[in-house]
Structure formats: structure tokens, C-alpha cells
């Protein structure tokens, strides 16, 4: 069982930055691919970014490519999402998710076995 707890959400003006963090309780954290998804009101949950167990490989959704950066610290069991140049359309609840390492690269919600409770990010115009 893996427990995930997100933090770092908040209110920011357009063009600003936020850094989200996800703390995982998993004795073998490096065996999990990690990802961030987001869900805006009345919309489906959307893939944002994923990182491999080693941290060497990353992938991003088209809407955030070049603005967001995912990273992980396997010694601390954390995965972060640095969000720059934020836009009002980035407003959503952001979720941290974990999948077994062989699922690295997956962009489907169903590929991830464990989820955090989410953290709200609101970008004002």
C-alpha cells in the first residue's frame, strides 16, 4: 500500500509560479513511476507529467510542456512539480499518482494504482 500526500497548492496570479510536492509512504519508492494529474471543475482528470522510478525519464502533457518540471528525490520519497508561467486555465485540483515502474509513460488514469487527495491550484487573471 502506498500513501500519497500533496502539498504546495494555493492562489497565484497569472504568470506566477508554484511548486507542488508529494510525499509518499513506500519502502521501495524508486520502484514506482510517479505522475501528476489535474482536474478542473466539470472536466475529466487530465495527465500533466510523469517521471520514471530512477528519475532519468520524464514526460509532459502538451498543455504544460516547457512551463512545468517534474522531479523526484528517492532518498526523501518525494516528487515535485515546479509550475512556472501559470495561466488561468491551469486552475484545477492537482493529484499525485503512483504506478508500478513498468507502467512508466502511461497517461491514463487507470494505469495508476495509488492516488493522493489532491491540492487546489487557482490562477487568477
Amino acid at each position: 500500500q502506498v500513501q500519497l500526500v500533496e502539498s504546495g497548492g494555493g492562489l497565484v496570479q497569472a504568470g506566477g509560479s508554484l511548486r507542488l510536492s508529494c510525499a509518499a509512504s513506500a519502502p521501495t519508492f524508486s520502484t514506482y513511476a510517479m505522475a501528476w494529474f489535474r482536474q478542473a471543475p466539470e472536466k475529466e482528470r487530465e495527465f500533466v507529467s510523469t517521471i520514471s522510478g530512477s528519475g532519468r525519464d520524464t514526460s509532459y502533457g502538451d498543455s504544460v510542456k516547457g512551463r512545468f518540471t517534474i522531479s523526484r528525490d528517492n532518498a526523501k520519497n518525494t516528487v515535485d512539480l515546479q509550475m512556472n508561467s501559470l495561466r488561468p486555465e491551469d486552475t484545477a485540483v492537482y493529484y499525485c499518482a503512483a504506478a508500478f515502474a513498468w507502467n512508466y509513460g502511461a497517461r491514463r488514469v487507470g494505469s495508476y494504482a495509488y492516488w493522493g487527495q489532491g491540492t487546489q491550484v487557482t490562477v487568477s487573471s
Side-chain angles (χ1 to χ4, degrees):
Q1 186 75 10
V2 177
Q3 293 185 326
L4 304 172
V5 178
E6 303 95 337
S7 61
L11 174 64
V12 64
Q13 288 189 330
S17 298
L18 276 177
R19 189 176 184 90
L20 305 183
S21 187
C22 173
S25 64
T28 54
F29 181 63
S30 63
T31 64
Y32 293 91
M34 300 298 296
W36 288 94
F37 284 75
R38 67 186 182 186
Q39 188 166 18
E42 301 182 0
K43 290 191 176 181
E44 292 188 353
R45 197 164 293 191
E46 174 191 21
F47 169 79
V48 173
S49 181
T50 186
I51 188 167
S52 62
S54 67
R56 282 195 307 238
D57 300 302
T58 60
S59 179
Y60 298 91
D62 289 342
S63 61
V64 306
K65 200 173 296 183
R67 300 187 297 124
F68 291 11
T69 302
I70 192 170
S71 61
R72 67 188 293 159
D73 186 334
N74 285 344
K76 296 182 179 179
N77 281 20
T78 58
V79 57
D80 291 350
L81 185 69
Q82 177 66 42
M83 306 186 295
N84 298 330
S85 303
L86 283 162
R87 306 166 180 168
E89 54 263 40
D90 294 318
T91 295
V93 177
Y94 283 71
Y95 296 91
C96 177
F100 294 110
W102 58 81
N103 270 335
Y104 166 69
R107 299 188 173 204
R108 291 173 53 249
V109 168
S111 296
Y112 291 83
Y114 304 103
W115 292 85
Q117 292 299 308
T119 185
Q120 176 71 46
V121 171
T122 303
V123 184
S124 64
S125 57

